[in-house]
Amino acid sequence: MDHHNHSFDSDIPILRVHPIENDFIIHWDKKLGTGVNGPVRPCEERETGQKFALKCVLDSPRSRQEVEIHCKVNGHPNIVSLHCVYHNTFRLNGDATPRSRLLLVLELMEGGELFDCISRAECFTEETAAQYMKQAVKAVHCLHERNIAHRDLKPENFLLTDDSEAAVLKLSDFGFAKVDDGSLMTPHFTPYYVAPQVLEAQMHMRAVKDGLAESPYTYDKSCDMWSLGVVLYIMLCGYPPFYSENPNVAFTKHMRHKILSGEFEFPEDDWDSISNEAKDIIRRLLYVDPMERMTIQELAAHPWLNRTTSEHSHTPLHSPLVLADKSKWADIKHAHAVENTQLRLPDTPVMLQPVAIADNPIIRKRRHRQKTQGESSQQAPTKKAAQVEVHSKVSSGGF
């Protein structure tokens, strides 16, 4: 992995306390996206006319921690830039009284989310996937070498600077990020991308609450490596390695068991043209035991990420067609909000599984299940729900 010399701010910046609207025109009626701590809106700097994204969050220790961690990695070419931060007290729609808020002025990522970009690609190959993954690895490496766990790596948080072929991939949203000092216990996660250790932490937390356990269960930044494995898997085939087989339940016990045991497949129809080196990365990232899981340094050095153009397979992948189809199974639209809804704001995730492209393991298994159980009465509503177009959010920062 090539390293660059970058200067990083190490402390929280001086908070500007004068009204932000003295310096910026804010489009409060528009929304670029919604993240774990609040919506993101477009804005322009009055003096220069430069466009930015504005993230508005309630002032709290957690919000200040987000700013502080973002500052520690600010300036890296693969991390969304934090331009400045304001501390204002004002009312928004729905507020009974003015509230103290932090306003983060961020780089505007006009290319949108990674998977949206892939869905528009006319020809998407392993070489392109490797180039995206290499940039994602650089961003995570920046965090991990500073002993920071992101804890919410998912496609919505990998964004592109623009729509050109030369667009740069950057990591966003540090709302769940935390220094890995041995005290990571809170089970922050999105179901598709959650590592086994985070599920273990959730179960342990429940056991402590019920008086069945005492000592805390901690996990570490290796949870990010698992999530990268899931992101790469989806990038190459268009659907997740772990999923609910019940269309009425977003996160089932069976799905939880599969994650905890690391049981996943490479269905031949979708994976026979994908290189063994790419599969090797996924296998080594999706090890249940975090001690055996590939580290960010090992991933950066993997041959698949360091191949030349001529060494990569140029066979077009199916993933753009899968990700581009907007007709989705109704249950998947709720998957990201099922677990720990009290820890995050409602979010509309990138949807992964189309109905039109029905020849994949998720759809096959669900259809077989419905047929064997004689659930003919459920076919009509399921089909109707599947025809509802669910739009993935177009985000400046996936925040």
Side-chain angles (χ1 to χ4, degrees):
M1 177 177 181
D2 54 334
H3 294 278
H4 304 268
N5 291 321
H6 302 292
S7 60
F8 297 93
D9 298 327
S10 59
D11 299 308
I12 193 165
I14 296 174
L15 299 178
R16 302 181 181 183
V17 295
H18 62 272
I20 187 173
E21 291 187 318
N22 289 359
D23 302 331
F24 290 87
I25 300 169
I26 303 167
H27 302 283
W28 293 105
D29 58 336
K30 296 180 181 179
K31 187 185 292 187
L32 295 168
T34 300
V36 295
N37 286 337
V40 176
R41 298 176 174 92
C43 65
E44 294 117 42
E45 193 168 30
R46 292 184 185 274
E47 185 177 345
T48 66
Q50 187 175 353
K51 295 181 179 180
F52 291 93
L54 179 70
K55 182 176 182 180
C56 178
V57 298
L58 291 173
D59 186 12
S60 68
R62 189 168 114 185
S63 296
R64 294 201 173 217
Q65 176 181 272
E66 175 182 354
V67 172
E68 185 174 358
I69 286 179
H70 199 153
C71 286
K72 289 180 184 295
V73 296
N74 200 30
H76 189 280
N78 296 110
I79 289 176
V80 172
S81 296
L82 177 60
H83 183 64
C84 56
V85 184
Y86 288 76
H87 182 207
N88 288 177
T89 299
F90 57 92
R91 287 179 59 178
L92 285 178
N93 289 339
D95 288 344
T97 58
R99 306 186 73 179
S100 177
R101 288 180 164 90
L102 296 181
L103 299 113
L104 286 64
V105 180
L106 301 153
E107 176 182 8
L108 180 62
M109 302 296 288
E110 297 183 286
E113 298 171 12
L114 171 60
F115 281 10
D116 285 337
C117 178
I118 293 174
S119 72
R120 298 189 297 266
E122 294 182 5
C123 181
F124 185 72
T125 67
E126 278 193 41
E127 180 190 1
T128 315
Q131 292 306 312
Y132 282 142
M133 197 62 174
K134 198 167 186 176
Q135 294 180 78
V137 167
K138 289 178 181 179
V140 176
H141 190 281
C142 174
L143 269 69
H144 284 198
E145 69 180 358
R146 288 161 179 75
N147 210 31
I148 297 169
H150 186 277
R151 300 201 295 176
D152 199 27
L153 294 181
K154 57 185 179 182
E156 295 93 323
N157 289 336
F158 287 109
L159 311 164
L160 291 153
T161 50
D162 53 57
D163 292 324
S164 72
E165 290 186 5
V168 177
L169 184 75
K170 300 195 179 190
L171 177 60
S172 67
D173 200 343
F174 297 89
F176 283 163
K178 190 176 180 182
V179 173
D180 180 7
D181 58 1
S183 65
L184 301 184
M185 294 180 288
T186 309
H188 296 300
F189 66 87
T190 299
Y192 283 131
Y193 312 99
V194 60
Q197 287 67 44
V198 183
L199 291 181
E200 294 279 4
Q202 182 195 50
M203 292 187 291
H204 191 87
M205 185 173 286
R206 289 173 178 171
V208 170
K209 186 177 180 180
D210 294 338
L212 302 175
E214 294 181 3
S215 60
Y217 180 99
T218 60
Y219 58 93
D220 62 20
K221 57 185 177 292
S222 65
C223 63
D224 288 343
M225 304 309 297
W226 176 282
S227 300
L228 280 178
V230 176
V231 169
L232 178 58
Y233 185 105
I234 300 169
M235 203 188 303
L236 293 173
C237 71
Y239 53 82
F242 308 100
Y243 51 85
S244 168
E245 295 187 15
N246 185 341
N248 300 310
V249 181
F251 196 50
T252 63
K253 289 182 179 179
H254 183 67
M255 179 178 172
R256 183 184 295 268
H257 169 76
K258 291 280 191 181
I259 294 172
L260 288 169
S261 58
E263 295 179 28
F264 68 95
E265 302 170 348
F266 293 120
E268 187 175 344
D269 290 347
D270 303 311
W271 288 85
D272 59 353
S273 64
I274 295 174
S275 69
N276 289 328
E277 289 81 3
K279 295 173 187 173
D280 178 66
I281 285 184
I282 292 169
R283 289 191 188 98
R284 293 173 64 189
L285 288 174
L286 298 184
Y287 272 134
V288 172
D289 184 350
M291 299 301 293
E292 297 293 327
R293 196 174 302 153
M294 194 185 297
T295 65
I296 195 66
Q297 293 83 1
E298 291 169 338
L299 176 55
H302 195 280
W304 187 77
L305 286 180
N306 295 285
R307 282 178 164 183
T308 64
T309 298
S310 61
E311 292 174 322
H312 269 294
S313 167
H314 292 86
T315 302
L317 301 176
H318 300 303
S319 43
L321 188 60
V322 179
L323 293 169
D325 193 298
K326 299 299 182 182
S327 299
K328 310 298 177 183
W329 286 90
D331 59 309
I332 291 181
K333 70 180 179 179
H334 299 296
H336 289 189
V338 168
E339 296 293 316
N340 297 323
T341 53
Q342 76 278 13
L343 295 177
R344 62 175 75 236
L345 294 176
D347 197 358
T348 305
V350 169
M351 301 305 172
L352 303 173
Q353 191 57 47
V355 171
I357 305 171
D359 189 23
N360 69 60
I362 303 179
I363 303 300
R364 286 198 296 267
K365 289 181 180 181
R366 285 179 175 171
R367 284 181 172 171
H368 177 71
R369 180 177 178 273
Q370 290 177 333
K371 183 178 179 180
T372 55
Q373 293 184 1
E375 297 175 346
S376 57
S377 61
Q378 297 181 11
Q379 298 295 327
T382 300
K383 182 177 180 181
K384 180 179 180 181
Q387 292 172 342
V388 176
E389 183 171 305
V390 181
H391 295 279
S392 60
K393 61 188 172 74
V394 179
S395 164
S396 77
F399 296 104

